[in-house]
Amino acid sequence: MELSGGQIVIQCLKDEGVEYLFGYPGGAVLHLYDAIFHQEDVKHILVRHEQAATHAADAYARATGKPGVVLVTSGPGATNAVTGIATAYMDSIPMVVISGQVPSAVIGSDAFQEVDMVGITRPCVKHNFLVKDVNDIAETMKKAFYIATTGRPGPVVIDIPKDITDPNILIPYKYPKKIKMRSYSPATKGHPGQIKKAIELLLAAQRPVIYSGGGVILGEASEELRELTRSLNFPITQTLMGLGAYPATDKQSIGMLGMHGTYEANLAMHESDVILAIGVRFDDRVTGKLAEFCPHSTIIHIDIDPASISKTVKVAVPIVGEVKIVLNQMLALLKEQKTKPSKKALEAWWSRIEQWRSVNCLEFDRGCEFIKPQAVIEQLYEVTKGDAFITSDVGQHQMFAAQFYPFDKPRRWINSGGLGTMGFGLPAAIGVKLAHPDADVACVTGEASIQMCIQELSTALQYKTPIKIINLNNRYMGMVRQWQEFSYESRYSHSYMDTIPDFVKLAEAYGHVGIRVEKPEDVKPALEKAFALKDRTVFIDIMTDRTENVYPMIESGKGHQEMTLRVAPGTPINRELA
Amino acid sequence: MRHIISILIENEAGALSRVAGLFSARGYNIESLTVAPTEDPTLSRMTLVTRGTDEIIEQITKQLNKLIDVVKLIDLAEATHVERELMLVKVRTCKESREEINRLSEIFRGKIIDVTSNSYVIEMTGPSDKLDAFVAALDENSIIETVRSGPTGLSRGEKGLHL
Ligand SMILES: Cc1cc2nc3c(=O)[nH]c(=O)nc-3n(C[C@H](O)[C@H](O)[C@H](O)COP(=O)(O)OP(=O)(O)OC[C@H]3O[C@@H](n4cnc5c(N)ncnc54)[C@H](O)[C@@H]3O)c2cc1C
Ligand SMILES: Cc1ncc(C[n+]2csc(CCOP(=O)(O)OP(=O)(O)O)c2C)c(N)n1
Ligand SMILES: [Mg+2]
């Protein structure tokens, strides 16, 4: 088969089994777009801004485990994609981004729409390539997919100069079946000696906690995590990125930990004597003040990336390996053991945890005359029967979604944790809906975040991806306002907007349904109506309490044991501040 | 502590900037860096001198290993090793000072590799502190310029860094 460079790129995507290509055309990729025109296997999704292409592809990957694929033109197309590439990088999401580049002959001459894409993206990709020869395309594509999806996943950029895709130069095409790279071989099995040590520690533990995260979802190890947690009867807390790997509605789940985690999770971490950390990276939002992090604990850490281990917190038993394999190794070894975890110690431990749990740290003012954002999420959970895919933007609404929508399955909670990218939610919902057309997909957002990629409402119409946008409209950049309330004596510097658009009209202008909700009793009917409109995208603009804050909170520089709780559960907050 | 990290890396365009970029992005200090292709033209060997606590050095080696282009690396400071640095020094000379500079250069086993009516270029190799000592011994005002390669090194014994 003789193909041009442009055709080869698209043929490689077919051979990789790529379903969707999220992109936006331009001069440097015109040959590629012509190759796309002549085929139907790889479906191109035309976004309205390149940032959205990367978020949609990224969310497609988060929801399926398959790599997301993006195509953008050189210069501004490429730079617009950078935010989305960095977002995927921070959360270790497999993604392949193809960017057009000016012709090889003029690279370096400040040619029209030239940017050094390889240079710009170097710090926020797992790897990147500049293709210099049409004969290298197929192998480079194979390498890109291999690197993006194996080991600790991440985005890979392939920058392709225009002349390399020239339709007049035809070469024989063959897609490599396998690729081996001498400089890259991700870890698989964990070291048996380390695993033995870990099991001994776990069996002797008096106050153990399992701290699990995004790595379990990335590594498809939810089943193994469930089995291990249940067989040990240990409490488990999950990071924002790990939610759903272990069912949140199960009694052994003590909720999220960290800055906006539960009282019981953070205190259990603080008081624990052994921590089993699985696919987590001891992020600062999780640890709080490092010097006070888990002062009595011996830590076991399973991670595929050695650089994640002992990066911020020194661990006693590092286990480098693929989480699914390592957990199976542990389960096998555990079955051979005669000793069991001390029942007495665990009973005492659980009873302390139940005491903390009884504080009911997430409780909010249910009698309030204003719509409480937490109540909206609870009702969203009821209406979707807890089985929707929820994407989110960044802010208070993100935390409320994480706290009040208990996820029981992995890959259901799609959010930007590491970079915290506002604008992620809407394009992400489109990517998820394409991946799971029959599932309910909702985007929980805020009136500030949603405006960062609002143009994608147009994409949602074109590709008939009926999603439900739940806009928790507090007329504030609530998360920023909260910090200003706590740390800047309520000087709300530029954390509100005087000119918020009429979202109902906006939704209608884009061809969708808009609903405005202003009273608590109207929330549920609006949600029901929205989800009943199976084939329409619905924008539900919900006027929530402007003064609501996210609790509990570990304020910056504090430790797990110093959480700030809502004064007394249910006490109305001083409204004069707002 | 000072560490000398020896890296085998794919001889690809951009490989050097990946290493340099890693150091600047993560705020690691880099004292010197030398790089050249090896006897296998597809591989380059880099020698990098850095300083840091054990924790930082551990992160540096892990992060370097994580770079896709890095094939292998060792921290030479972990075992006994030999290290050498090359220095060229251009000094101002006059009739009266030549004898003294010749003598000094001989003591340090330097070689005079260029001579003009009023200057010498002296070549010297050795551990970095020896080069420092030579520069200190020279009359400060006589030095026109110096250039140093940064240290390179090998571990001692029969083991080596290769594929
Ligand atoms: C406004 C805001 C507030 C936040 N508040 C909180 C909070 O209160 N609590 C909280 O937890 N987070 C919070 N976050 C998120 C936080 O910033 C981090 O993104 C998150 O804590 C990281 O989750 P993680 O440790 O699970 O790591 P991830 O970023 O998910 O990293 C996964 C880890 O698993 C490893 N891994 C990947 N694949 C595998 C595999 N196959 N096998 C083994 N290991 C693997 C990786 O190497 C990595 O170390 C907040 C974010 C925002 C934007
Ligand atoms: C692109 C980007 N810019 C700025 C921020 C900082 N930031 C974090 S949350 C937030 C406010 C979000 O407001 P909104 O979307 O209304 O959500 P709310 O907190 O009110 O629920 C801002 C500005 C960010 N995370 N991302
Ligand atoms: Mg808001």
Side-chain angles (χ1 to χ4, degrees), chain A residues 489-559:
Chain A
E489 297 171 317
S490 300
R491 288 187 297 278
Y492 296 151
S493 180
H494 298 275
S495 54
Y496 64 96
M497 293 185 194
D498 291 337
T499 53
I500 295 167
D502 180 335
F503 288 112
V504 171
K505 281 192 189 149
L506 190 70
E508 286 167 1
Y510 275 108
H512 303 303
V513 179
I515 305 176
R516 194 179 164 94
V517 182
E518 293 178 328
K519 290 200 271 301
E521 61 271 25
D522 294 341
V523 172
K524 193 135 185 209
L527 290 170
E528 278 163 348
K529 181 177 163 198
F531 282 95
L533 289 169
K534 285 277 171 219
D535 55 353
R536 298 297 296 275
T537 287
V538 183
F539 195 116
I540 317 172
D541 187 24
I542 307 176
M543 298 302 124
T544 56
D545 186 349
R546 302 194 74 187
T547 62
E548 188 54 295
N549 286 328
V550 183
Y551 287 104
M553 177 165 182
I554 302 175
E555 290 185 55
S556 57
K558 297 217 163 144

Side-chain angles (χ1 to χ4, degrees), chain A residues 394-397 420 422 446-449 452 474 476-480:
Chain A
V394 174
Q396 291 184 323
H397 61 272
M422 290 169 69
E447 79 297 330
S449 291
M452 286 213 178
N474 53 6
Y476 268 121
M477 296 174 196
M479 185 58 92
V480 175

Side-chain angles (χ1 to χ4, degrees), chain A residues 157-203:
Chain A
V157 166
I158 311 175
D159 200 31
I160 311 183
K162 187 168 184 181
D163 52 307
I164 306 291
T165 56
D166 188 339
N168 299 313
I169 301 170
L170 301 179
I171 62 155
Y173 167 77
K174 203 168 150 269
Y175 196 57
K177 277 212 175 62
K178 266 195 132 162
I179 198 103
K180 233 183 107 70
M181 295 173 68
R182 63 180 174 186
S183 61
Y184 176 68
S185 53
T188 50
K189 272 208 321 229
H191 189 283
Q194 295 291 87
I195 288 176
K196 194 160 157 270
K197 263 195 231 163
I199 295 289
E200 281 163 9
L201 271 170
L202 291 173
L203 291 177

Side-chain angles (χ1 to χ4, degrees), chain A residues 89 118 122-123 125-129 132 147 152 181-184 305-311 314, chain B residues 10 12-14 17-18 25-26 40 42-43 55 58-59 62-63 65-71 163:
Chain A
Y89 179 69
V118 168
R122 195 178 298 119
V125 292
K126 185 167 172 188
H127 197 57
N128 58 20
F129 297 94
K132 289 183 174 153
I147 293 169
R152 177 176 184 169
M181 295 173 68
R182 63 180 174 186
S183 61
Y184 176 68
D305 178 4
S308 268
I309 298 178
S310 293
K311 181 166 68 175
K314 191 100 189 129
Chain B
E10 296 288 353
E12 301 263 356
S17 51
R18 285 183 210 280
R26 295 192 180 264
D40 172 351
T42 67
L43 286 174
E55 289 76 33
E58 184 181 328
Q59 264 300 309
K62 284 172 166 180
Q63 293 291 350
N65 263 316
K66 206 167 136 176
L67 293 177
I68 304 287
D69 282 339
V70 168
V71 183
L163 288 181

Side-chain angles (χ1 to χ4, degrees), chain A residues 55 58-59 62 87 392-393 414-416 421-429:
Chain A
H55 291 332
D58 164 325
R62 291 180 201 238
T87 302
S392 109
D393 269 299
I414 314 279
N415 84 134
S416 163
T421 310
M422 290 169 69
F424 178 81
L426 173 54

Side-chain angles (χ1 to χ4, degrees), chain A residues 5 99 101-105 107 116 118 128-141 158-165 169 171, chain B residues 11-15 18 69:
Chain A
S99 54
Q101 183 52 279
V102 300
S104 310
I107 288 182
D116 174 11
V118 168
N128 58 20
F129 297 94
L130 172 67
V131 182
K132 289 183 174 153
D133 184 333
V134 58
N135 292 294
D136 293 343
I137 295 177
E139 191 181 298
T140 306
M141 295 282 289
I158 311 175
D159 200 31
I160 311 183
K162 187 168 184 181
D163 52 307
I164 306 291
T165 56
I169 301 170
I171 62 155
Chain B
N11 188 5
E12 301 263 356
R18 285 183 210 280
D69 282 339

Side-chain angles (χ1 to χ4, degrees), chain A residues 315-554:
Chain A
V315 308
V317 185
I319 305 176
V320 177
E322 185 69 61
V323 56
K324 196 180 180 79
I325 300 176
V326 173
L327 289 185
N328 276 318
Q329 286 175 282
M330 290 178 79
L331 283 165
L333 191 60
L334 209 53
K335 284 200 183 102
E336 292 170 12
Q337 304 296 310
K338 287 200 190 69
T339 37
K340 293 270 168 284
S342 156
K343 234 181 158 163
K344 220 175 110 210
L346 273 180
E347 261 167 29
W349 182 224
W350 269 114
S351 89
R352 290 194 71 189
I353 290 171
E354 290 308 335
Q355 269 173 11
W356 294 323
R357 185 142 49 187
S358 69
V359 165
N360 233 338
C361 67
L362 295 177
E363 202 41 57
F364 57 94
D365 177 10
R366 290 178 184 275
C368 180
E369 62 186 300
F370 301 109
I371 301 175
K372 285 290 180 183
Q374 299 95 325
V376 176
I377 305 295
E378 283 185 346
Q379 294 174 80
L380 175 65
Y381 180 80
E382 286 163 25
V383 170
T384 56
K385 301 184 180 62
D387 205 26
F389 285 81
I390 307 290
T391 73
S392 109
D393 269 299
V394 174
Q396 291 184 323
H397 61 272
Q398 177 187 24
M399 293 300 111
F400 291 134
Q403 292 176 334
F404 288 87
Y405 198 108
F407 293 93
D408 282 345
K409 294 179 191 164
R411 304 200 178 280
R412 293 295 167 121
W413 168 237
I414 314 279
N415 84 134
S416 163
L419 201 65
T421 310
M422 290 169 69
F424 178 81
L426 173 54
I430 295 172
V432 174
K433 188 70 186 175
L434 287 166
H436 300 291
D438 299 328
D440 282 334
V441 179
C443 163
V444 173
T445 184
E447 79 297 330
S449 291
I450 191 66
Q451 294 189 67
M452 286 213 178
C453 270
I454 192 79
Q455 74 286 345
E456 298 310 315
L457 284 174
S458 176
T459 312
L461 186 71
Q462 180 174 351
Y463 297 98
K464 302 191 178 62
T465 51
I467 53 179
K468 315 302 167 192
I469 297 157
I470 319 291
N471 188 33
L472 299 179
N473 189 340
N474 53 6
R475 284 83 73 208
Y476 268 121
M477 296 174 196
M479 185 58 92
V480 175
R481 190 202 56 74
Q482 177 169 348
W483 281 63
Q484 290 172 334
E485 180 185 327
F486 286 18
S487 310
Y488 299 88
E489 297 171 317
S490 300
R491 288 187 297 278
Y492 296 151
S493 180
H494 298 275
S495 54
Y496 64 96
M497 293 185 194
D498 291 337
T499 53
I500 295 167
D502 180 335
F503 288 112
V504 171
K505 281 192 189 149
L506 190 70
E508 286 167 1
Y510 275 108
H512 303 303
V513 179
I515 305 176
R516 194 179 164 94
V517 182
E518 293 178 328
K519 290 200 271 301
E521 61 271 25
D522 294 341
V523 172
K524 193 135 185 209
L527 290 170
E528 278 163 348
K529 181 177 163 198
F531 282 95
L533 289 169
K534 285 277 171 219
D535 55 353
R536 298 297 296 275
T537 287
V538 183
F539 195 116
I540 317 172
D541 187 24
I542 307 176
M543 298 302 124
T544 56
D545 186 349
R546 302 194 74 187
T547 62
E548 188 54 295
N549 286 328
V550 183
Y551 287 104
M553 177 165 182
I554 302 175

